[in-house]
Amino acid sequence: MLETVRGPRQLIVGEGVAQNIPRVVAECGSRVLVVTDRTLLGQPGVAEIVAAVREKAKAVAVFADATPDVPLTDVALAVSVAAEVDADVILAIGGGTVIDLAKIVGVIRRHGGTPRDFYGESKVPGPTIPLVAVPTTSGTGSELTPVSVLTDPDRALKVGVSSVHIVPDFAIVDPELTYTCPATVTAHSGIDAFCHAVESFTARPRAHSPRDPVEQVFLGRNPVTDHYALLAAERIARSLRRAVRDGGDTDARADMSYGSMLAGIAFSHAGNAAPHAFQYLIGAATHTPHGLGVGLLLPYALDAARDAIDDRLTILAGVCGLDVTDASDAEGADAFLTWLDGLLADIGIPATLADIGVARADLPRFAETAGGITRLMQNHPGPTDTASLTAILEAAWLGDRTRCRRPQRHQAGPGRDH
């Protein structure tokens, strides 16, 4: 047995817990950088939080120009705003973009350099300045995770900074802050959370040496991550449709906040897999939302790995409310994948890569590059050679899951990491 547990110093979850934010921030520092976006800053709930933080702090600077996918220009601007007040604590209020931005700003505030100095796994040399993360969506789990995903104009895919040192110090998860989240954002963030749960539960298990929990961030599935992943899948499966249909459904919103949090714990250790690796490229090429991309790709990646995970897909079918008591593993997996197709359609996720503007001619190049994202692809339970990955993308482009199943399968060796 060789495992590790990572997370914030304190995780606070529940309706109304946002009232604790000013005190928690004040206990971490006195010169505050608030990272958020213009839409959120204009909402009364967020404006009240910022005003209350101002009352307790010596100095507060607000960077409210966060834009999707964390372009490096945003990082530079936010770092300069932090310098104006000599920030010693960061408060991030927003979705994954905002929290990921706050993470990398904290790294640079403490260690200097540029984001490019920290791409990859375990490149951050030590702790950063304290970060209090407050999600306003139910999806990315960034408030709990050791990952910050950025967009570099010099690269054809999104890039990740992965380190135990960028896990937020405090995570305050209040479902009430998600009530104003639009239906489309609810759908995209919610299916992202579901992907985190499913990819964690189906991730390839791996043997480890004693140094791996320090040198690697994603370690593959284990019994602890299985526990959190299944709890997350159950909550999200029963409530995502309801939250998209009626943002005022407080029970569904609570389930989504709780499910996203549980999925974040699961994938912080197990790791993401092929859908997220593909989305690094597809998101950069199409400028479509992250959750839309990983949700679209999930059933195709799972179908391609069915030789290894039919039993796990059957378990997922059960926790998602399907009756698979007397089903074989193959039947249970079929039931789950059919149910997943229906869920994606119901919340407005396109069925094919062609629908979001991906050029078919680009698929082999995407497959080859994604295969080199070892940090993620080593978790994919199916074959990861370029031909197999191309077959997944071809199936997703055509909207035909059966095309993922190649008669000749073999496992590629380690690829190149990004």
Side-chain angles (χ1 to χ4, degrees):
M1 182 180 69
L2 182 65
E3 304 297 349
T4 184
V5 177
R6 308 182 183 114
R9 279 191 273 161
Q10 187 172 10
L11 166 63
I12 307 171
V13 186
E15 289 85 354
V17 298
Q19 65 187 284
N20 296 301
I21 294 169
R23 174 178 174 174
V24 170
V25 171
E27 290 174 352
C28 291
S30 61
R31 299 180 301 280
V32 186
L33 172 68
V34 178
V35 181
T36 187
D37 64 43
R38 291 292 170 187
T39 300
L40 288 168
L41 192 60
Q43 294 180 358
V46 174
E48 290 172 8
I49 292 169
V50 175
V53 169
R54 287 188 186 278
E55 291 181 1
K56 283 186 170 288
K58 289 181 180 178
V60 175
V62 178
F63 180 81
D65 294 319
T67 54
D69 301 322
V70 197
L72 296 191
T73 51
D74 282 11
V75 179
L77 290 170
V79 168
S80 67
V81 173
E84 292 173 4
V85 292
D86 192 22
D88 58 8
V89 58
I90 301 175
L91 168 62
I93 308 174
T97 286
V98 166
I99 298 173
D100 280 5
L101 173 59
K103 289 175 177 177
I104 192 63
V105 171
V107 172
I108 294 170
R109 280 290 299 165
R110 175 60 56 86
H111 301 290
T114 73
R116 293 186 175 105
D117 297 324
F118 307 104
Y119 291 169
E121 280 196 288
S122 303
K123 301 290 180 62
V124 178
T128 71
I129 68 172
L131 171 59
V132 179
V134 183
T136 58
T137 64
S138 299
T140 68
S142 186
E143 70 276 8
L144 297 159
T145 69
V147 180
S148 174
V149 179
L150 316 174
T151 301
D152 187 328
D154 294 334
R155 299 201 174 201
L157 71 167
K158 295 177 184 177
V159 291
V161 175
S162 301
S163 169
V164 295
H165 296 303
I166 65 172
V167 177
D169 296 87
F170 291 86
I172 299 178
V173 182
D174 189 334
E176 293 180 358
L177 293 177
T178 71
Y179 291 172
T180 58
C181 190
T184 300
V185 178
T186 299
H188 294 165
S189 59
I191 200 62
D192 188 25
F194 191 70
C195 287
H196 294 158
V198 173
E199 288 177 54
S200 296
F201 188 66
T202 57
R204 183 188 301 277
R206 306 201 305 272
H208 296 293
S209 74
R211 295 178 60 156
D212 288 345
V214 172
E215 295 180 345
Q216 297 181 28
V217 174
F218 292 161
L219 299 166
R221 63 175 166 87
N222 62 58
V224 175
T225 62
D226 283 354
H227 171 74
Y228 286 111
L230 290 176
L231 288 175
E234 179 183 18
R235 296 266 181 160
I236 297 167
R238 75 189 185 195
S239 292
L240 179 51
R241 285 185 178 90
R242 290 164 47 203
V244 172
R245 185 170 58 246
D246 177 11
D249 185 331
T250 57
D251 288 340
R253 288 294 196 186
D255 260 358
M256 290 305 300
S257 286
Y258 197 63
S260 173
M261 178 267 294
L262 292 166
I265 295 173
F267 96 81
S268 288
H269 302 82
N272 294 320
H276 277 74
F278 288 138
Q279 175 57 15
Y280 273 17
L281 293 122
I282 289 166
T286 62
H287 305 289
T288 47
H290 171 80
L292 181 154
V294 293
L296 189 164
L297 288 157
L298 180 64
Y300 300 100
L302 295 176
D303 207 319
R306 284 194 51 174
D307 286 356
I309 59 171
D310 266 2
D311 57 336
R312 293 202 152 238
L313 297 181
T314 300
I315 293 170
L316 284 165
V319 302
C320 291
L322 306 178
D323 184 3
V324 290
T325 305
D326 297 320
S328 66
D329 285 343
E331 292 168 340
D334 282 336
F336 174 75
L337 291 170
T338 299
W339 173 88
L340 179 57
D341 289 339
L343 173 66
L344 295 169
D346 287 348
I347 64 172
I349 303 298
T352 75
L353 292 177
D355 292 336
I356 63 171
V358 174
R360 191 174 189 179
D362 288 335
L363 300 183
R365 175 172 61 85
F366 286 168
E368 182 177 7
T369 304
I373 307 175
T374 313
R375 179 174 59 87
L376 302 179
M377 276 300 181
Q378 66 185 342
N379 288 324
H380 178 56
T384 57
D385 58 282
T386 299
S388 295
L389 297 181
T390 302
I392 295 173
L393 294 177
E394 283 279 350
W397 197 88
L398 293 166
D400 180 1
R401 281 196 281 106
T402 63
R403 294 179 68 94
C404 298
R405 306 168 196 166
R406 300 176 64 244
Q408 298 295 323
R409 295 185 170 182
H410 62 279
Q411 180 63 42
R416 304 172 312 279
D417 203 358
H418 287 260

